[in-house]
Amino acid sequence: MRTLPFVLAIFISFSFTDNQKTKKIIGYWEIYKIEKSNEASQTERNKYLHFHENGVLEGGGIGKSPNKSGTWKIDAKSNTLMLQSERDNNDELGAFTIVQLTQKELVIEKDVMRVYLEKVESP
């Protein structure tokens, strides 16, 4: 009888975590650094990602109209950010591990690449 409240509490905490991460990620983010193994870091701030509340993802060059679009979702259980491109070949960017997510900073990684983003006001 005591296990039901415990299981329910765990379920609610996972739902809260998922919702909390989703709210933090919604908005306009500029990529300020990309690190790849065995390569020099790219630190030129010239690209952005815009995570919309409805799960739509747009991106492109800073100061320009979006030239890429797709969808996004967070899997709080595995701490991943799933990105899917809407190119003709339905290219899936895949799952990025969320290394850090605050109100102003997002760090994600996949394979040998780590991407640093800063949340800024939409232009």
Side-chain angles (χ1 to χ4, degrees):
M1 194 70 163
R2 291 180 183 240
T3 58
L4 182 60
F6 178 72
V7 171
L8 188 57
I10 289 174
F11 178 74
I12 290 170
S13 69
F14 276 124
S15 297
F16 181 72
T17 301
D18 189 34
N19 191 32
Q20 200 174 30
K21 285 183 179 182
T22 298
K23 284 184 177 185
K24 281 183 184 176
I25 204 167
I26 293 169
Y28 182 90
W29 297 81
E30 291 182 355
I31 299 171
Y32 68 89
K33 182 165 69 169
I34 299 174
E35 295 177 338
K36 293 182 182 178
S37 295
N38 302 325
E39 291 183 26
S41 296
Q42 297 174 8
T43 58
E44 190 173 335
R45 193 181 283 245
N46 58 12
K47 295 188 182 197
Y48 72 90
L49 293 176
H50 192 166
F51 297 90
H52 294 274
E53 189 171 355
N54 62 358
V56 171
L57 174 66
E58 294 178 315
I62 293 175
K64 298 180 182 175
S65 296
N67 62 0
K68 296 179 181 162
S69 62
T71 59
W72 69 275
K73 67 179 178 177
I74 290 181
D75 182 346
K77 194 173 189 180
S78 63
N79 197 39
T80 57
L81 174 61
M82 301 295 294
L83 304 178
Q84 172 110 19
S85 173
E86 289 184 352
R87 294 184 183 160
D88 293 341
N89 61 358
N90 208 21
D91 177 36
E92 185 174 342
L93 301 172
F96 286 78
T97 300
I98 300 171
V99 177
Q100 180 177 358
L101 176 58
T102 66
Q103 295 294 338
K104 291 288 186 184
E105 186 172 32
L106 170 62
V107 181
I108 55 177
E109 69 181 5
K110 180 178 181 181
D111 301 325
V112 297
M113 179 175 59
R114 185 173 275 204
V115 182
Y116 297 80
L117 301 100
E118 178 184 24
K119 191 178 229 181
V120 296
E121 293 293 320
S122 297

